[in-house]
Amino acid sequence: MRAAAPASINAVTALAAVALAMTLAGHAAFGAGPANPWPLVVALFIAPLLEETVFRAGVHDALLRDGAAPWLANLLTALAFSAAHMLLLGASAQTALVCLPALLIGAAYNRWRRLRICIGLHMAMNALWIAVQRMS
């Protein structure tokens, strides 16, 4: 049986992946176009996949396994998600408000425990955010 990697190494690797996805996705609403679709690909596919894997299947699920009540696991995960956005993309009302959709996604995770549902919701919320940004 293979020994598991130390939690600190797993956490650093996961946070590095999320940092990269969030940094790239931070400019998705403004830098994308027919000549450069990459920011949209990151915001609509890569960031939701990585972020939900780390925060939902990682943080949220670990809190539940450690005995946290589902509402508490959801709240702590949403706050961590919002804090990560603020640290990586800058503190603003927009990055702080990321906590609200994170709570909705967390409620879905508490209900169904299906990561694919969370990823789909995250994709939809990012698409809505990009559409609103482009209209303003």
Side-chain angles (χ1 to χ4, degrees):
M1 181 174 205
R2 195 174 131 213
S8 59
I9 292 174
N10 290 337
V12 169
T13 302
L15 289 176
V18 168
L20 175 61
M22 291 170 79
T23 300
L24 293 172
H27 305 288
F30 306 104
N36 184 17
W38 180 245
L40 288 176
V41 171
V42 172
L44 297 175
F45 300 103
I46 297 171
L49 177 67
L50 291 175
E51 291 173 6
E52 291 304 322
T53 299
V54 170
F55 286 97
R56 206 66 53 210
V59 175
H60 193 137
D61 202 54
L63 289 167
L64 291 172
R65 280 193 318 270
D66 286 344
W71 69 267
L72 182 58
N74 187 14
L75 178 62
L76 293 175
T77 302
L79 291 173
F81 187 72
S82 183
H85 278 78
M86 286 191 278
L87 288 171
L88 295 169
L89 302 175
S92 69
Q94 258 184 333
T95 54
L97 290 175
V98 165
C99 187
L100 298 177
L103 285 169
L104 294 174
I105 294 170
Y109 189 74
N110 280 339
R111 171 69 176 90
W112 292 289
R113 297 287 197 280
R114 298 283 187 257
L115 188 60
R116 67 177 175 259
I117 292 171
C118 299
I119 292 168
L121 288 171
H122 194 142
M123 288 175 173
M125 289 181 190
N126 281 3
L128 179 62
W129 177 77
I130 289 168
V132 168
Q133 292 299 311
R134 289 184 173 205
M135 289 192 307
S136 18

